[in-house]
Amino acid sequence: MVTIYERKAGERKPGLSRRELLKRGGVGALLVISGSAVISPEHAWGLETSALKPETMATLIQMARDIYPHDQVPDKYYAIAVKAHDEQAGKDPAHKDLIENGIADLDLKSGKDGYTGLGWEEQRVAVLREIENTPFFQAVRGGLVVGLYNQKEVWPIFGYEGESYSKGGYMARGFDDIEWL
């Protein structure tokens, strides 16, 4: 037997419709937390966590995007950059406490929906400015410098070709080429 559900004119189902979900698309628009994983169905990647809570990792990804905002860099690379905190938290209980307590404090300062619930980047950046001198913020920011920009996959996005020594050095590769001016 097949059951057919009909909606009355103007009646809406609770939650997001498929159309509404598709309209809300964009970079970083949707991260799904499932068990011990953070998943981005829009861009087909996932990140399994072992020491930190998946909600913590989702917040770290958003925080990373707000600290070093690059619209052209997908969330996947930010997730890879903050994964080191999960790995370190598994080895060092003090680091786990630093990150989990830092995220809890960040959520508390952000209001009832927490940091990821803030809809505008300006609001999130304002909260980050409040905590920028804390050891938690400095640990996350410091890890991002290496974790994000040392990924060879993101170099082409920024126009960086990598080191030049193995390719003959800069002298033979246009160090004085100023066509870009």
Side-chain angles (χ1 to χ4, degrees), residues 52-120:
L52 298 174
K53 294 184 269 185
E55 297 84 3
T56 298
M57 291 301 290
T59 302
L60 280 173
I61 293 166
Q62 182 62 62
M63 186 179 169
R65 180 166 283 292
D66 291 334
I67 292 172
Y68 292 111
H70 300 289
D71 292 337
Q72 69 276 26
V73 176
D75 281 346
K76 168 174 90 169
Y77 298 111
Y78 287 99
I80 292 167
V82 298
K83 176 68 175 158
H85 290 292
D86 183 55
E87 293 166 356
Q88 188 175 352
K91 299 173 190 169
D92 180 7
H95 188 74
K96 180 177 180 174
D97 289 343
L98 175 73
I99 300 299
E100 292 287 1
N101 293 336
I103 293 295
D105 183 52
L106 185 66
D107 284 339
L108 187 65
K109 290 181 184 310
S110 300
K112 68 175 183 145
D113 293 327
Y115 184 76
T116 57
L118 294 174
W120 298 100

Side-chain angles (χ1 to χ4, degrees), residues 153-176:
E153 295 83 11
V154 300
W155 292 353
I157 296 170
F158 299 120
Y160 178 59
E161 297 175 0
E163 57 82 28
S164 71
Y165 178 77
S166 65
K167 301 170 189 155
Y170 290 111
M171 296 299 280
R173 297 189 67 235
F175 82 98
D176 60 350

